[in-house]
Amino acid sequence: MKMEDKAFKKNILITGGAGFIGSHVVRLFVKKYPQYHIFNLDDLTYAGNLENIKDIEKASNYDFIKADINDADQIKELFQIHQFDSVIHLAAESHVDRSISNPKIFVETNVTGTINLMEAALETWRGNLENKLFYHISTDEVYGSLGETGLFTETTAYDPNSPYSASKAASDHFVRAYGETYNLPYVISNCSNNYGPNQFPEKLIPLFINNIIANKALPVYGDGRYTRDWLYVIDHARAIDLAFHKGKNKSTYNIGGFNEWQNIDLIKLLCEIMDKKLNRSAGESEALITFIKDRPGHDKRYAIDASKINKELGWEPSVTFEEGLMKTVEWYLQNQNWIRAVVSGSYQEYYKKQYL
Ligand code: NAD
Ligand code: DAU
């Protein structure tokens, strides 16, 4: 039995909580804050999976709502019914390659969907913005690409290069504009590449783990000399917890792993770990590496300066890359049913179109 909504200290709407990062954020909040009522709103697109949060589905402070953030009327109705006082907004189309082949849905979900949530929040909160917060989860890709040196800071100019990053940049601008124009209380965080359990195998690390297990080619874009800054997903969820509770109104926080890797070096390390875990001879997985046509508009290098969140809120990653990668590999090896379920059906069509 759930307590009445008003018996909870906060009614928090988390969007996209059946996806990769969202599921870790939902779990952290449900377990750590029994005094909060957590509503997980997700439309269960190809990337959403209720298996990701099966362990907490019966918690007394948790409810799941299947809804589309593009349905403005339904979103308004849900705000009226449940009187959410805070939003942590993660729902999005999140994969760059899909944005290249189908950009429009990225505008709809990432831009219009975000506006729908803010409109519903303002309508419900009108006149009383105290203790209200719209927390928008964004990406470092809005800053575009770095050269050999330098880091993205909170004041780096936006310069997005893919339809995905353009849609995320537009949504960030709208959140900021709603803050300035309508006084919407907001926080935005821009995070680097996440990895860890429950990531859909379209993204580099889970795709390559899955292909190594199946002895399939490892499709490396271009020369593989592209750099990303990797962060274990649970450390991102910890940062979101801190920024949600202690972040300054109308501010932005960069979150990153202090952990830059060129793709090819990361892939070789992953191959080495997989050979050991699968009792294969050294070099067996590496032999699967296949260089293929580059991603159009491929950003050369991302690297985050996370010193603001470190100094202001005391956040730092808790897991080293070696530990995080090992935990991730082990999770995928122990959860073969999860991966088998998500690669059935429409994934096969996507894979054929993207790689074959
Ligand atoms: P994901 O693709 O794994 O999950 C997205 C979730 O949103 C899914 O559960 C999906 O069902 C849901 N969703 C999609 N469209 C929806 C709609 N119209 N209505 C309701 N729900 C919808 O994404 P992720 O990797 O977990 O990313 C979550 C957020 O974090 C995104 O906003 C993304 O831009 C941002 N981000 C991701 C990374 C990363 O490395 N993955 C890094 C920085 C920021
Ligand atoms: O930086 C944060 C972003 O990181 C998030 O906002 C995005 O949601 C998330 O998808 C991720 O974007 P990337 O494009 O960096 O991630 P992806 O895993 O797709 O690719 C990582 C790198 O690996 C990139 O340089 C492209 C390369 N790559 C990727 C795939 C899927 C390959 O070489 N081959 C592949 O098959």
PDB file of all heavy atoms in Angstrom, residues 125-138:
ATOM      1  N   TRP A 125       2.702  24.634 -11.152  1.00  0.00           N
ATOM      2  CA  TRP A 125       3.426  25.333 -10.078  1.00  0.00           C
ATOM      3  C   TRP A 125       3.092  26.817 -10.017  1.00  0.00           C
ATOM      4  O   TRP A 125       3.600  27.526  -9.136  1.00  0.00           O
ATOM      5  CB  TRP A 125       4.950  25.188 -10.265  1.00  0.00           C
ATOM      6  CG  TRP A 125       5.424  23.770 -10.255  1.00  0.00           C
ATOM      7  CD1 TRP A 125       4.731  22.675  -9.802  1.00  0.00           C
ATOM      8  CD2 TRP A 125       6.683  23.274 -10.725  1.00  0.00           C
ATOM      9  NE1 TRP A 125       5.480  21.541  -9.965  1.00  0.00           N
ATOM     10  CE2 TRP A 125       6.689  21.875 -10.534  1.00  0.00           C
ATOM     11  CE3 TRP A 125       7.817  23.868 -11.297  1.00  0.00           C
ATOM     12  CZ2 TRP A 125       7.776  21.070 -10.873  1.00  0.00           C
ATOM     13  CZ3 TRP A 125       8.897  23.069 -11.648  1.00  0.00           C
ATOM     14  CH2 TRP A 125       8.881  21.682 -11.437  1.00  0.00           C
ATOM     15  N   ARG A 126       2.283  27.295 -10.988  1.00  0.00           N
ATOM     16  CA  ARG A 126       2.025  28.737 -11.120  1.00  0.00           C
ATOM     17  C   ARG A 126       1.783  29.399  -9.762  1.00  0.00           C
ATOM     18  O   ARG A 126       1.009  28.911  -8.953  1.00  0.00           O
ATOM     19  CB  ARG A 126       0.805  28.953 -12.031  1.00  0.00           C
ATOM     20  CG  ARG A 126       0.625  30.404 -12.406  1.00  0.00           C
ATOM     21  CD  ARG A 126       0.008  30.536 -13.773  1.00  0.00           C
ATOM     22  NE  ARG A 126       0.951  30.137 -14.816  1.00  0.00           N
ATOM     23  CZ  ARG A 126       0.597  29.565 -15.950  1.00  0.00           C
ATOM     24  NH1 ARG A 126      -0.653  29.271 -16.185  1.00  0.00           N
ATOM     25  NH2 ARG A 126       1.498  29.270 -16.861  1.00  0.00           N
ATOM     26  N   GLY A 127       2.529  30.452  -9.520  1.00  0.00           N
ATOM     27  CA  GLY A 127       2.307  31.200  -8.272  1.00  0.00           C
ATOM     28  C   GLY A 127       3.083  30.654  -7.091  1.00  0.00           C
ATOM     29  O   GLY A 127       3.261  31.321  -6.091  1.00  0.00           O
ATOM     30  N   ASN A 128       3.547  29.433  -7.197  1.00  0.00           N
ATOM     31  CA  ASN A 128       4.296  28.880  -6.066  1.00  0.00           C
ATOM     32  C   ASN A 128       5.488  28.073  -6.566  1.00  0.00           C
ATOM     33  O   ASN A 128       5.401  26.864  -6.753  1.00  0.00           O
ATOM     34  CB  ASN A 128       3.374  28.009  -5.191  1.00  0.00           C
ATOM     35  CG  ASN A 128       4.142  27.418  -4.022  1.00  0.00           C
ATOM     36  OD1 ASN A 128       5.259  27.858  -3.718  1.00  0.00           O
ATOM     37  ND2 ASN A 128       3.553  26.419  -3.375  1.00  0.00           N
ATOM     38  N   LEU A 129       6.585  28.770  -6.771  1.00  0.00           N
ATOM     39  CA  LEU A 129       7.771  28.113  -7.321  1.00  0.00           C
ATOM     40  C   LEU A 129       8.752  27.694  -6.224  1.00  0.00           C
ATOM     41  O   LEU A 129       9.822  27.160  -6.512  1.00  0.00           O
ATOM     42  CB  LEU A 129       8.461  29.040  -8.335  1.00  0.00           C
ATOM     43  CG  LEU A 129       7.644  29.312  -9.602  1.00  0.00           C
ATOM     44  CD1 LEU A 129       8.303  30.380 -10.453  1.00  0.00           C
ATOM     45  CD2 LEU A 129       7.457  28.033 -10.411  1.00  0.00           C
ATOM     46  N   GLU A 130       8.330  27.888  -4.985  1.00  0.00           N
ATOM     47  CA  GLU A 130       9.221  27.531  -3.869  1.00  0.00           C
ATOM     48  C   GLU A 130       9.386  26.010  -3.796  1.00  0.00           C
ATOM     49  O   GLU A 130       8.399  25.261  -3.920  1.00  0.00           O
ATOM     50  CB  GLU A 130       8.605  28.031  -2.559  1.00  0.00           C
ATOM     51  CG  GLU A 130       9.668  28.407  -1.545  1.00  0.00           C
ATOM     52  CD  GLU A 130       9.019  28.903  -0.268  1.00  0.00           C
ATOM     53  OE1 GLU A 130       8.056  29.686  -0.381  1.00  0.00           O
ATOM     54  OE2 GLU A 130       9.447  28.467   0.793  1.00  0.00           O
ATOM     55  N   ASN A 131      10.616  25.573  -3.589  1.00  0.00           N
ATOM     56  CA  ASN A 131      10.934  24.135  -3.507  1.00  0.00           C
ATOM     57  C   ASN A 131      10.561  23.352  -4.759  1.00  0.00           C
ATOM     58  O   ASN A 131      10.296  22.153  -4.690  1.00  0.00           O
ATOM     59  CB  ASN A 131      10.266  23.477  -2.293  1.00  0.00           C
ATOM     60  CG  ASN A 131      10.820  24.040  -1.014  1.00  0.00           C
ATOM     61  OD1 ASN A 131      12.027  24.298  -0.914  1.00  0.00           O
ATOM     62  ND2 ASN A 131       9.952  24.276  -0.044  1.00  0.00           N
ATOM     63  N   LYS A 132      10.501  24.030  -5.881  1.00  0.00           N
ATOM     64  CA  LYS A 132      10.234  23.328  -7.137  1.00  0.00           C
ATOM     65  C   LYS A 132      11.540  23.316  -7.936  1.00  0.00           C
ATOM     66  O   LYS A 132      12.370  24.216  -7.800  1.00  0.00           O
ATOM     67  CB  LYS A 132       9.165  24.058  -7.969  1.00  0.00           C
ATOM     68  CG  LYS A 132       7.873  24.334  -7.208  1.00  0.00           C
ATOM     69  CD  LYS A 132       7.128  23.068  -6.907  1.00  0.00           C
ATOM     70  CE  LYS A 132       5.705  23.311  -6.449  1.00  0.00           C
ATOM     71  NZ  LYS A 132       5.601  24.018  -5.155  1.00  0.00           N
ATOM     72  N   LEU A 133      11.693  22.266  -8.766  1.00  0.00           N
ATOM     73  CA  LEU A 133      12.921  22.199  -9.575  1.00  0.00           C
ATOM     74  C   LEU A 133      12.689  21.411 -10.855  1.00  0.00           C
ATOM     75  O   LEU A 133      12.102  20.319 -10.828  1.00  0.00           O
ATOM     76  CB  LEU A 133      14.055  21.528  -8.779  1.00  0.00           C
ATOM     77  CG  LEU A 133      15.391  21.389  -9.535  1.00  0.00           C
ATOM     78  CD1 LEU A 133      16.001  22.757  -9.841  1.00  0.00           C
ATOM     79  CD2 LEU A 133      16.391  20.538  -8.746  1.00  0.00           C
ATOM     80  N   PHE A 134      13.165  21.957 -11.958  1.00  0.00           N
ATOM     81  CA  PHE A 134      13.219  21.217 -13.216  1.00  0.00           C
ATOM     82  C   PHE A 134      14.694  20.920 -13.480  1.00  0.00           C
ATOM     83  O   PHE A 134      15.469  21.817 -13.803  1.00  0.00           O
ATOM     84  CB  PHE A 134      12.630  22.056 -14.369  1.00  0.00           C
ATOM     85  CG  PHE A 134      12.426  21.247 -15.617  1.00  0.00           C
ATOM     86  CD1 PHE A 134      11.235  20.563 -15.837  1.00  0.00           C
ATOM     87  CD2 PHE A 134      13.433  21.130 -16.563  1.00  0.00           C
ATOM     88  CE1 PHE A 134      11.047  19.792 -16.989  1.00  0.00           C
ATOM     89  CE2 PHE A 134      13.250  20.361 -17.714  1.00  0.00           C
ATOM     90  CZ  PHE A 134      12.061  19.691 -17.918  1.00  0.00           C
ATOM     91  N   TYR A 135      15.066  19.653 -13.312  1.00  0.00           N
ATOM     92  CA  TYR A 135      16.475  19.263 -13.493  1.00  0.00           C
ATOM     93  C   TYR A 135      16.604  18.569 -14.855  1.00  0.00           C
ATOM     94  O   TYR A 135      16.051  17.494 -15.063  1.00  0.00           O
ATOM     95  CB  TYR A 135      16.906  18.341 -12.345  1.00  0.00           C
ATOM     96  CG  TYR A 135      18.373  17.913 -12.384  1.00  0.00           C
ATOM     97  CD1 TYR A 135      18.902  17.138 -11.364  1.00  0.00           C
ATOM     98  CD2 TYR A 135      19.236  18.270 -13.413  1.00  0.00           C
ATOM     99  CE1 TYR A 135      20.229  16.729 -11.368  1.00  0.00           C
ATOM    100  CE2 TYR A 135      20.549  17.884 -13.440  1.00  0.00           C
ATOM    101  CZ  TYR A 135      21.041  17.099 -12.425  1.00  0.00           C
ATOM    102  OH  TYR A 135      22.355  16.684 -12.476  1.00  0.00           O
ATOM    103  N   HIS A 136      17.340  19.200 -15.748  1.00  0.00           N
ATOM    104  CA  HIS A 136      17.468  18.706 -17.119  1.00  0.00           C
ATOM    105  C   HIS A 136      18.824  18.016 -17.297  1.00  0.00           C
ATOM    106  O   HIS A 136      19.877  18.626 -17.081  1.00  0.00           O
ATOM    107  CB  HIS A 136      17.345  19.911 -18.068  1.00  0.00           C
ATOM    108  CG  HIS A 136      17.450  19.554 -19.511  1.00  0.00           C
ATOM    109  ND1 HIS A 136      16.596  18.674 -20.137  1.00  0.00           N
ATOM    110  CD2 HIS A 136      18.309  19.972 -20.476  1.00  0.00           C
ATOM    111  CE1 HIS A 136      16.928  18.564 -21.412  1.00  0.00           C
ATOM    112  NE2 HIS A 136      17.972  19.333 -21.637  1.00  0.00           N
ATOM    113  N   ILE A 137      18.774  16.744 -17.727  1.00  0.00           N
ATOM    114  CA  ILE A 137      20.016  15.978 -17.899  1.00  0.00           C
ATOM    115  C   ILE A 137      20.489  16.124 -19.339  1.00  0.00           C
ATOM    116  O   ILE A 137      19.792  15.720 -20.279  1.00  0.00           O
ATOM    117  CB  ILE A 137      19.782  14.474 -17.581  1.00  0.00           C
ATOM    118  CG1 ILE A 137      19.144  14.286 -16.193  1.00  0.00           C
ATOM    119  CG2 ILE A 137      21.085  13.688 -17.725  1.00  0.00           C
ATOM    120  CD1 ILE A 137      19.937  14.819 -15.025  1.00  0.00           C
ATOM    121  N   SER A 138      21.680  16.686 -19.503  1.00  0.00           N
ATOM    122  CA  SER A 138      22.188  16.879 -20.859  1.00  0.00           C
ATOM    123  C   SER A 138      23.582  16.254 -21.030  1.00  0.00           C
ATOM    124  O   SER A 138      24.043  15.481 -20.184  1.00  0.00           O
ATOM    125  CB  SER A 138      22.167  18.360 -21.223  1.00  0.00           C
ATOM    126  OG  SER A 138      22.390  18.510 -22.608  1.00  0.00           O
TER     127      SER A 138
END
